[in-house]
Amino acid sequence: MSAWHTKHIVRFSHCDPAGIVFYPRFFEIVHEAKEDWFREAFGLPFRELIGERREGFPIVRLECDFRAPSRLGDELDIAVGVARIGEASLHLHYALACAGEPRLDVRTVVVHTDLASGRPAPIDADLRRRFEAFMIDAPR
């Protein structure tokens, strides 16, 4: 079991006048990584998850630790791992690094939600099994 990895290039649009990534842009980058993970690892693009299946995984808790600045042109390696699976919740950890240097750690709790009712819904056995393949020992 291990984290899933993707790459992301820091673009001009991510940076503030100081030339570093403006911190809210990291949350967009992390969300894009989550969407890519669902599409590439599970064959479940958000278009299908949200549009057809009417399910979501909204964030209910978010924590992050900024380790070092990221700048225009940096290629970030993003590792996405599952720290814990609850009945309807998923504790995710994102480790962002550039050339092996840690840049950002993000921990989220997302809740599997029935979009019609807006209420939490148990994670089905098939999806749970798929998530388990990405279990990690996430740092605190």
Side-chain angles (χ1 to χ4, degrees):
M1 295 188 217
S2 63
W4 176 83
H5 288 261
T6 190
K7 300 283 187 191
H8 189 91
I9 303 294
V10 173
R11 308 282 183 196
F12 178 76
S13 62
H14 298 127
C15 298
D16 64 16
I20 61 174
V21 174
F22 181 46
Y23 73 93
R25 299 291 179 249
F26 273 121
F27 301 132
E28 293 171 353
I29 292 168
V30 164
H31 180 80
E32 289 172 4
K34 180 174 76 171
E35 284 192 48
D36 292 346
W37 181 51
F38 269 75
R39 185 184 68 253
E40 294 174 19
F42 310 126
L44 187 57
F46 267 39
R47 175 187 68 244
E48 180 182 332
L49 180 72
I50 293 169
E52 297 168 23
R53 293 174 54 152
R54 302 294 298 146
E55 300 172 50
F57 281 91
I59 292 175
V60 298
R61 183 172 175 83
L62 171 79
E63 297 178 69
C64 65
D65 294 304
F66 295 93
R67 306 288 184 201
S70 292
R71 301 181 188 288
L72 178 63
D74 283 353
E75 182 178 78
L76 300 174
D77 176 69
I78 305 172
V80 181
V82 178
R84 181 174 173 265
I85 304 173
E87 182 179 337
S89 65
L90 197 57
H91 295 236
L92 300 176
H93 180 259
Y94 304 83
L96 285 72
C98 181
E101 177 189 28
R103 299 293 176 87
L104 178 70
D105 286 307
V106 178
R107 293 162 306 282
T108 66
V109 178
V110 296
V111 173
H112 181 237
T113 303
D114 175 328
L115 296 181
S117 69
R119 305 292 305 158
I123 298 169
D124 69 54
D126 178 58
L127 203 49
R128 178 178 300 278
R129 180 185 50 75
R130 293 181 193 193
F131 290 144
E132 287 171 349
F134 298 97
M135 293 292 294
I136 59 164
D137 290 327
R140 293 272 175 208

